């Protein structure tokens, strides 16, 4: 009985350590849709707060959205799609990521992106609508009945070899148009690399354009989009 109790306690301890370790992986409070040279990127940040980064870290990003469909119960069809990431670049040999410094995660919103208004179009429509303007993307997202980007980061905690999984999600109310993240990594006078943990969440306008500051929130929690 004592041996059984010891084994159960050890398993519980390892499981608890993995759960606590997941709390050291932090995500930026908001995501941004950054506009540059006519292209739109969906961007957020992930940072590892522990002294030793996770081993064999892998990131998966999915888009969950509702499409109006009168043939389905409730009038909506649920779609789950994986987002292709341009950054960070995984190790070409084994596909794992290095989280020694905060990572900027970037997904290009092009015609094949689940965030694009052309995502559900057929091939003929894509040929006709090959030029995707940033304003089209903004209006499309603002009209979505429901859209959420789910992020999963998994890896191995080195001291216990336990599996760790951290999760976060961004709804439309967490996404802001035409903004970019402030720098959070710098080198001090002594040559040491430093990370400003508070700046991980800070964003600034990437350009002012024709969108007012009040209209930058994509979700319906902000002012309505003007056609």
């Amino acid at each position: 009985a004592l041996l059984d109790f010891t084994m159960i306690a050890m398993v519980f301890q390892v499981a608890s350590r993995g759960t606590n370790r997941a709390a050291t992986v932090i995500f930026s409070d908001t995501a941004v849709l950054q506009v540059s040279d006519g292209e739109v990127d969906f961007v957020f940040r992930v940072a590892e707060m522990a002294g030793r980064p996770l081993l064999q870290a892998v990131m998966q990003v999915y888009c969950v959205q509702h499409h109006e469909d009168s043939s389905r119960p409730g009038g909506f069809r649920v779609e789950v799609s994986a987002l292709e990431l341009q950054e960070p670049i995984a190790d070409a040999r084994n596909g794992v990521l290095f989280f020694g410094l905060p990572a900027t995660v970037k997904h290009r919103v092009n015609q094949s992106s689940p965030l694009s208004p052309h995502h559900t179009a057929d091939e003929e429509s894509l040929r006709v609508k090959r030029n995707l303007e940033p304003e089209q993307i903004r209006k499309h997202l603002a009209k979505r009945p429901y859209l959420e980007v789910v992020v999963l980061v998994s890896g191995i905690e080195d001291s216990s070899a336990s599996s760790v999984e951290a999760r976060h999600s961004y709804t439309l109310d967490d996404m802001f148009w035409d903004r970019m993240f402030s720098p959070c990594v710098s080198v001090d006078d002594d040559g040491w690399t430093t990370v400003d943990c508070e700046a991980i969440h800070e964003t600034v306008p990437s350009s002012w354009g024709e969108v007012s500051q009040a209209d930058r929130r994509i979700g319906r929690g902000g002012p309505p989009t003007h056609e």
Side-chain angles (χ1 to χ4, degrees):
L2 180 59
L3 180 60
D4 292 341
F5 176 80
T6 303
M7 292 298 296
I8 293 174
M10 291 177 63
V11 171
F12 179 78
Q13 182 180 13
V14 171
S16 298
R17 184 176 299 176
T19 302
N20 295 335
R21 186 66 170 79
T24 67
V25 179
I26 64 171
F27 301 83
S28 56
D29 293 335
T30 61
V32 300
L33 287 141
Q34 185 174 331
V35 183
S36 177
D37 297 328
E39 303 284 355
V40 179
D41 292 313
F42 176 83
V43 185
F44 61 92
R45 273 181 175 161
V46 180
E48 171 63 274
M49 304 299 290
R52 295 182 179 181
L54 290 174
L55 303 178
Q56 303 294 313
V58 177
M59 180 185 301
Q60 297 167 296
V61 184
Y62 299 94
C63 175
V64 182
Q65 57 183 317
H66 295 175
H67 299 278
E68 294 183 0
D69 188 343
S70 58
S71 65
R72 299 296 180 91
F76 290 96
R77 172 175 57 87
V78 180
E79 179 189 24
V80 180
S81 306
L83 296 188
E84 180 181 355
L85 302 181
Q86 278 65 49
E87 295 180 18
I89 300 175
D91 189 316
R93 294 172 297 177
N94 52 27
V96 302
L97 303 171
F98 174 67
F99 280 132
L101 291 172
T104 298
V105 184
K106 181 181 297 185
H107 164 73
R108 175 61 53 85
V109 185
N110 51 27
Q111 292 180 356
S112 61
S113 167
L115 305 181
S116 163
H118 300 162
H119 171 58
T120 57
D122 55 30
E123 294 183 2
E124 181 63 28
S125 299
L126 289 177
R127 284 194 290 270
V128 174
K129 302 177 181 180
R130 60 183 179 276
N131 295 323
L132 185 61
E133 298 295 332
E135 186 64 13
Q136 291 178 271
I137 297 173
R138 184 176 75 91
K139 290 182 178 180
H140 167 73
L141 292 176
K143 292 178 180 178
R144 301 307 300 154
Y146 177 82
L147 187 147
E148 183 174 5
V149 174
V150 181
V151 186
L152 306 176
V153 174
S154 58
I156 300 175
E157 203 275 326
D158 60 347
S159 63
S160 65
S162 59
S163 298
V164 177
E165 183 174 87
R167 305 178 184 183
H168 193 75
S169 68
Y170 300 97
T171 65
L172 291 173
D173 284 338
D174 302 317
M175 304 177 191
F176 288 81
W177 179 259
D178 202 19
R179 295 186 70 88
M180 61 188 299
F181 283 98
S182 303
C184 65
V185 179
S186 60
V187 179
D188 63 19
D189 295 337
D190 296 324
W192 291 94
T193 301
T194 61
V195 178
D196 185 345
C197 295
E198 293 185 359
I200 290 174
H201 307 283
E202 293 180 356
T203 66
V204 296
S206 56
S207 65
W208 291 101
E210 298 180 354
V211 182
S212 69
Q213 185 68 10
D215 286 336
R216 290 182 186 271
R217 184 188 295 270
I218 295 295
R220 296 180 179 179
T225 301
H226 302 291
E227 298 292 338

